[in-house]
Amino acid sequence: MIDIPSPAVAVVGRHNSGKTTLIERLIAELTGRGLDVGSIKHHSHRGFDIDIPGKDSYRHRAAGASETVIAAPGQVARIKTVEDEVECSELVRSMPNHDIIVVEGYRKSGLPTIEIMRSGNEADCRAARLFVKAAREGLPLTTDFTQLGRAVDRAGNAAGRDGAGEMPGAGEVPGASDYSAAADAAAKMPSTNTVAVVTDIPDAEEAAALYGIPAIGLEDVAALADFLSEHYVRPRVTVVIQAGGESRRMGRSKATVPFAGRPLICRLIERLSPVADELIITTNEHD
C-alpha cells in the first residue's frame, strides 16, 4: 500500500468563536460531496482520557501498557502515552490517504489557517476592531497585535476619562489582569498563514479585503467547502496504462510478457492502483 500525504488546514479562533460548530458542518458538507475527511482536535488541557474505566483497554493501560490498540471490524482506535505534546505536523503525517484533514486549533502549527470571527462573541468583535485598525494603517500581518491592542485600550480609556471630566470608576482602568486577558486575545489574531476569514463582522470583512484575504459568510458553509475544494483538497488522479499497440518488435503482447513469474500488466496494476482514484487500461487486446 502506498501512503499519500494528506493536505490539512486549521480552523482557528478565540474561545467561544464557534470553531467546533463550523467544523462539524464543514465536515458534513465535504463528506456529502464524496470526500474522505480526517480531523484533528487540539485539546489544550493535560490529562484528558478517552478510555472508559473498567473496560479491557483501560485495564491494559492501568496495568502499565504505554500504547493500546483497540480493533474491531470496521473500526480501530489507538491510545498512546507520550511525554510531551505531539506536534501537529506529526499527527498529520500519521494520517495519510485523506482528501483533506480539518484541524481544530493549532494556530502556531504552520498550517494554512481559516480564521473565524463571530459577532456574538465579544472577544471576536475586539479582534475584528484590531484587525481592521491594522489593515487601515497598512500594517503587515506580522504586526504585534498585543502591543497594538494595549495601545487601543489605553487610548479608549483616556478618551473615556477626558469625556467624563472625572476619574474613572472601579473597573474602568485596565489592571494587570486586564492586560493579561487583552494580550491573550490579541495574540490570537490573523497572520501570514491566514488563507480565509469566516465571519459576520463588517470590520473583519473590511480588513480581510484590505489584506487580500477571502472573506466567507459565517453561515455559508458551502462557499467554505468550495474554497477548500479549489485550493486544498487533494486533486483526484486518473492513471492510464497504455497496453495497446501491435507489439511487432516484441513479437508478442507487451502487457502479457511475464516478469518475475507474472504478467507485466498485473504488476503495473498492483503498483498504480493505490495512487489512482481511477485506473484506465487502453488496449486492442480485450481478452
Side-chain angles (χ1 to χ4, degrees):
M1 178 67 178
I2 299 175
D3 286 334
I4 304 172
S6 303
V9 296
V11 176
V12 300
R14 287 133 300 278
H15 177 66
N16 202 32
S17 291
K19 298 184 292 295
T20 301
T21 299
L22 177 66
I23 289 173
E24 180 183 15
R25 296 175 61 199
L26 178 60
I27 290 174
E29 177 71 26
L30 292 170
T31 55
R33 299 182 182 196
L35 298 175
D36 184 318
V37 182
S39 70
I40 297 173
K41 160 69 177 178
H42 185 213
H43 187 79
S44 58
H45 303 292
R46 178 178 291 273
F48 81 96
D49 205 334
I50 62 173
D51 211 351
I52 302 173
K55 294 295 184 180
D56 291 347
S57 56
Y58 182 91
R59 293 169 62 186
H60 289 192
R61 294 219 305 142
S66 62
E67 184 172 14
T68 301
V69 175
I70 309 157
Q75 195 172 28
V76 64
R78 183 185 302 270
I79 305 172
K80 183 176 181 178
T81 301
V82 295
E83 292 185 3
D84 300 306
E85 185 171 0
V86 179
E87 293 290 336
C88 184
S89 57
E90 184 178 343
L91 296 174
V92 171
R93 284 195 299 271
S94 73
M95 298 171 62
N97 305 316
H98 295 290
D99 293 319
I100 191 168
I101 295 175
V102 180
V103 178
E104 180 175 343
Y106 281 107
R107 179 182 291 275
K108 297 180 181 180
S109 64
L111 290 174
T113 59
I114 297 168
E115 188 83 34
I116 179 171
M117 294 183 179
R118 184 173 61 86
S119 62
N121 185 26
E122 178 52 39
D124 286 349
C125 293
R126 184 179 184 281
R129 291 193 292 270
L130 288 178
F131 191 26
V132 76
K133 176 177 174 59
R136 289 169 179 170
E137 295 180 4
L139 300 176
L141 285 172
T142 53
T143 294
D144 185 344
F145 283 101
T146 301
Q147 295 302 322
L148 181 63
R150 289 177 177 177
V152 169
D153 285 345
R154 286 194 296 268
N157 192 64
R161 289 197 302 269
D162 293 341
E166 58 184 5
M167 290 300 291
E172 292 182 13
V173 179
S177 61
D178 298 307
Y179 278 145
S180 176
D184 179 65
K188 297 177 180 179
M189 292 291 293
S191 69
T192 53
N193 291 325
T194 304
V195 296
V197 176
V198 176
T199 187
D200 60 349
I201 304 175
D203 278 350
E205 294 172 353
E206 179 186 342
L210 290 172
Y211 280 117
I213 301 171
I216 299 169
L218 188 65
E219 299 299 324
D220 199 350
V221 177
L224 179 57
D226 288 341
F227 174 78
L228 292 178
S229 296
E230 180 179 354
H231 296 284
Y232 295 101
V233 168
R234 182 179 67 85
R236 298 287 175 154
V237 177
T238 297
V239 175
V240 180
I241 300 174
Q242 295 185 329
E246 299 179 1
S247 301
R248 285 178 292 185
R249 285 178 293 177
M250 291 287 293
R252 60 175 297 179
S253 169
K254 293 190 289 291
T256 60
V257 168
F259 180 78
R262 301 179 63 205
L264 181 60
I265 187 69
C266 295
R267 295 188 174 276
L268 286 172
I269 291 171
E270 288 177 356
R271 292 298 299 273
L272 293 172
S273 291
V275 299
D277 296 290
E278 180 182 41
L279 185 64
I280 298 173
I281 300 172
T282 63
T283 180
N284 54 5
E285 303 172 273
H286 301 292
D287 292 340

